[in-house]
Amino acid sequence: MIKGIAMAIAAAAITAALPAAGAAQSTAPHKTLTAFASEAELAALLGAWIEEAKRRRDAHGRRVEAQAGFPGPAAPAAVAKEAEARMADALTNVQHTGVDEGGIVKAHGDHLVVLRRGRLFTVAVGGGRLAPVDAIDAFGPGVDPRGAWYDEMLIAGDTVVVIGFSYARGGTEIGLFRIARDGILAYKGTYHLRSNDYYSSRNYASRLVGTKLVFYSPLHLNPYAADPYASFPALRKWHAGASAAEFRRIAPATRIYRTDEPLDPMAGVALHSVSVCELDAPELECESTAVLAPAGRVFYVSPGSVFVWTTQWRRRPEHAAPVSAVFRIPLDGSAPSALKVSGSPIDQFSFLEGADGMLNVLLRASGRGEGMWAAEASPGDLALLRVPLASFSDGRDAAPADAYRALPRPHGHALQSRYVGDFLLYGAGTGWHRPQRTRESEVFAVDFARGATAHTLPLPHAVDRIEALGRDAVVIGSDGRNLHFTTVRLARLPVAAYRYTRPDVAQGETRSHGFFYQAEGSADGLIGLPVIGGRARGSRQLHETSAAVLYLRNQGLALTALGTLDARPAQARDGCRASCVDWYGNARPLFLRGRLFALLGYEIVEGALAAGGGGERIVETRRVNFAPAAPAVAQ
């Protein structure tokens, strides 16, 4: 048992008899969390917290409040829902089939829809075309976009949903637009959901499951706030002159749950809320389910549930180990369940809800959650937690010690992981930093379904990305100057099968959506990945477009370079008013109906595969620039 995680398990002093994986007949928890019975019961708890806060303030003065580092009064959390987005899924490298993730480019009928720098654009691709059609602000008429970020988009039927966060208005902003068959966009309405800042260098804020738009938000409760209910999940429709009084609570006391774990509001407590919105209703309708727990978090969305992992650090040395819990919040609105656990996941890819009824989670003993850049430097020893979903309960049970399996630690600080088939692969690289000179590294392949044996595969490069190639995998990383693609055959004894090296380049996008694999059979397909100069920082994606999108052909895990579709110098001024930093990147490989494209900033470049002297290669056939006209310069 690894150090740190073992300490926390011993401190928990609670064990649960868990059924064997093969014995689990159902994934339903045997108990669920308890909700507040009434608004009066919830008010009594909040009132006690407020009184305690006043007592501490009187005893220690306002210095106590400053030292505690409480967040200000929380803002709005958001959610919405979606109908059919299978074509959008085809363009997005998602974690789960059927669970779409908010992104910067989607497909709708004969058009590509692109979200960039506070605007929506449509580009016609039907009938062999490639032409700009329409552009519109990604915020409503009369909305002041200053202090707001519009970074994610989903499409449900003929509704384009833009997900933003407004520091000025204090929460998640949901913009709804109608897209016609000819690609013309029209504004429908804007809604606000109370939420705290949800930004992460790795995770995405929104998901689309069937017709449900799903959001997770941790709403921090401030015991010093005059009105604690001002931090609760709520929704309003925006209009000119909209006021805070128009927010309508969407999480009544009977949908707010708790465990037996004592909570100290002075150390940080959050309402971990999952909001689900129906987009096909005449007006946006949302409901929230929330759990009271410590503020630290990582979340993961499976086809049926949102899993939220919370961690609280004890300040006193004798209680240095983190106290953690994992909550399972069903998307159908039924009661959540939970387990006491130890350690912390790194990001969404640390989780897998398996078809075998098991939850698998890669943990670090001292993980920091995934707020902003916290996942880029998650410290501590490693373990794999594997528990039956049926073992979740009312939060009083703990995952037993034998549910954790110690794993070797990789070299490097930015841990990357993926589940591919029955294997968990993980390794470490440089993340958003500048590539470092690397001659010796490794990726670990853990056969988690058959005993969690960790196979070590030596590499001459860092591990900056791990992706599935059908039933096998590819590990991508830099040696400090060159970019390597190592394919991995995931048999009973995993082996590195082939390595392709591209000189003097690095990844142009660190986000999971920057990569795409188009399968062309069980063992063949096409890989697309944006690239930049070999010594450029990963954070360059915030401000600059990738130099090109590189395409490779996979044939039985042997990789062949097809060439690149290259960017041209971008225009200097576009009149950007919001989201003027590309937080989710700006380049994507796109495969649509047998055609091959590259999104590179404000350009879409189309290519075709042609036979050349040395074999197959990609050639540019045309490109279109859909950038908005530069604003006139005053004389």
Side-chain angles (χ1 to χ4, degrees), residues 286-304:
C286 305
E287 287 188 335
S288 288
T289 301
V291 174
L292 273 173
R297 50 63 174 176
V298 179
F299 79 98
Y300 154 75
V301 183
S302 75

Side-chain angles (χ1 to χ4, degrees), residues 97 121 133 266-267 314 320 417 434 483 516 544 568 576 633:
T97 300
F121 304 87
V133 174
M266 310 306 152
R314 299 285 175 82
S417 65
R434 189 181 301 279
L483 189 64
F516 201 87
E544 299 180 41
R568 289 178 180 168
C576 181
V633 179

Side-chain angles (χ1 to χ4, degrees), residues 406-424:
L407 298 176
R409 293 176 63 170
H411 298 92
H413 65 274
L415 196 73
Q416 303 289 332
S417 65
R418 287 295 188 281
Y419 293 89
V420 182
D422 289 337
F423 285 86
L424 163 67

Side-chain angles (χ1 to χ4, degrees), residues 47-370:
W49 286 358
I50 291 171
E51 288 303 315
E52 175 63 13
K54 289 180 179 178
R55 186 191 68 78
R56 294 196 185 193
R57 177 182 290 167
D58 293 342
H60 303 289
R62 292 191 176 273
R63 179 175 57 86
V64 174
E65 181 176 350
Q67 288 176 345
F70 297 121
V79 175
K81 156 220 149 190
E82 196 260 30
E84 298 277 326
R86 293 183 182 131
M87 296 195 74
D89 284 353
L91 297 182
T92 305
N93 181 27
V94 298
Q95 185 175 10
H96 276 289
T97 300
V99 182
D100 197 15
E101 301 173 358
I104 64 171
V105 57
K106 302 289 182 181
H108 178 270
D110 291 334
H111 298 84
L112 293 174
V113 185
V114 181
L115 172 66
R116 181 149 198 253
R117 292 170 65 84
R119 293 183 177 97
L120 281 171
F121 304 87
T122 57
V123 177
V125 293
R129 299 177 64 203
L130 184 64
V133 174
D134 199 12
I136 192 172
D137 286 334
F139 43 89
V143 173
D144 184 350
R146 290 176 297 179
W149 296 86
Y150 302 96
D151 292 310
E152 296 189 25
M153 171 187 57
L154 291 156
I155 298 181
D158 292 332
T159 298
V160 178
V161 185
V162 175
I163 311 303
F165 186 87
S166 173
Y167 291 96
R169 287 171 287 279
T172 300
E173 192 163 296
I174 305 170
L176 304 182
F177 300 81
R178 181 179 294 105
I179 180 170
R181 291 185 63 184
D182 59 4
I184 299 300
L185 296 163
Y187 172 72
K188 293 175 62 176
T190 296
Y191 296 80
H192 290 126
L193 274 160
R194 285 196 186 134
S195 67
N196 289 122
D197 189 341
Y198 51 72
Y199 285 119
S200 163
S201 65
R202 297 192 178 189
N203 212 337
Y204 303 93
S206 58
R207 302 291 191 276
L208 191 60
V209 181
T211 60
K212 297 177 179 179
L213 180 60
V214 180
F215 288 89
Y216 160 73
S217 178
L219 292 148
H220 301 293
L221 300 183
N222 184 356
Y224 294 101
D227 178 11
Y229 291 101
S231 297
F232 278 52
L235 176 74
R236 75 173 178 190
K237 185 173 184 178
W238 181 86
H239 60 86
S243 68
E246 295 176 54
F247 276 105
R248 174 179 56 84
R249 267 183 65 190
I250 56 174
T254 52
R255 291 180 66 92
I256 297 175
Y257 295 82
R258 52 188 171 172
T259 71
D260 67 326
E261 190 70 31
L263 295 173
D264 181 1
M266 310 306 152
V269 171
L271 271 174
H272 295 274
S273 63
V274 171
S275 300
V276 179
C277 302
E278 291 295 329
L279 293 177
D280 53 1
E283 291 287 338
L284 192 69
E285 297 178 355
C286 305
E287 287 188 335
S288 288
T289 301
V291 174
L292 273 173
R297 50 63 174 176
V298 179
F299 79 98
Y300 154 75
V301 183
S302 75
S305 301
V306 178
F307 291 85
V308 179
W309 190 289
T310 67
T311 302
Q312 181 175 21
W313 284 87
R314 299 285 175 82
R315 286 193 173 97
R316 292 176 294 177
E318 64 270 24
H319 295 114
V323 176
S324 299
V326 58
F327 297 93
R328 182 189 182 192
I329 305 175
L331 294 178
D332 63 7
S334 56
S337 52
L339 274 179
K340 287 181 169 65
V341 285
S342 299
S344 178
I346 294 88
D347 58 21
Q348 71 184 76
F349 297 106
S350 297
F351 293 82
L352 174 67
E353 178 186 330
D356 58 356
M358 302 291 287
L359 178 68
N360 307 275
V361 192
L362 177 64
L363 302 172
R364 297 211 87 152
S366 304
R368 298 172 180 173
E370 63 179 4

Side-chain angles (χ1 to χ4, degrees), residues 496-549:
Y498 186 87
R499 181 170 301 114
Y500 168 77
T501 301
R502 187 77 174 186
D504 298 319
V505 302
Q507 283 197 110
E509 296 270 349
T510 64
R511 291 278 182 177
S512 61
H513 292 178
F515 173 95
F516 201 87
Y517 179 64
Q518 179 69 33
E520 295 183 340
S522 61
D524 300 333
L526 297 175
I527 290 172
L529 180 71
V531 294
I532 50 177
R535 291 290 296 159
R537 291 177 176 271
S539 58
R540 178 176 166 176
Q541 65 194 323
L542 297 174
H543 302 281
E544 299 180 41
T545 303
S546 295
V549 173

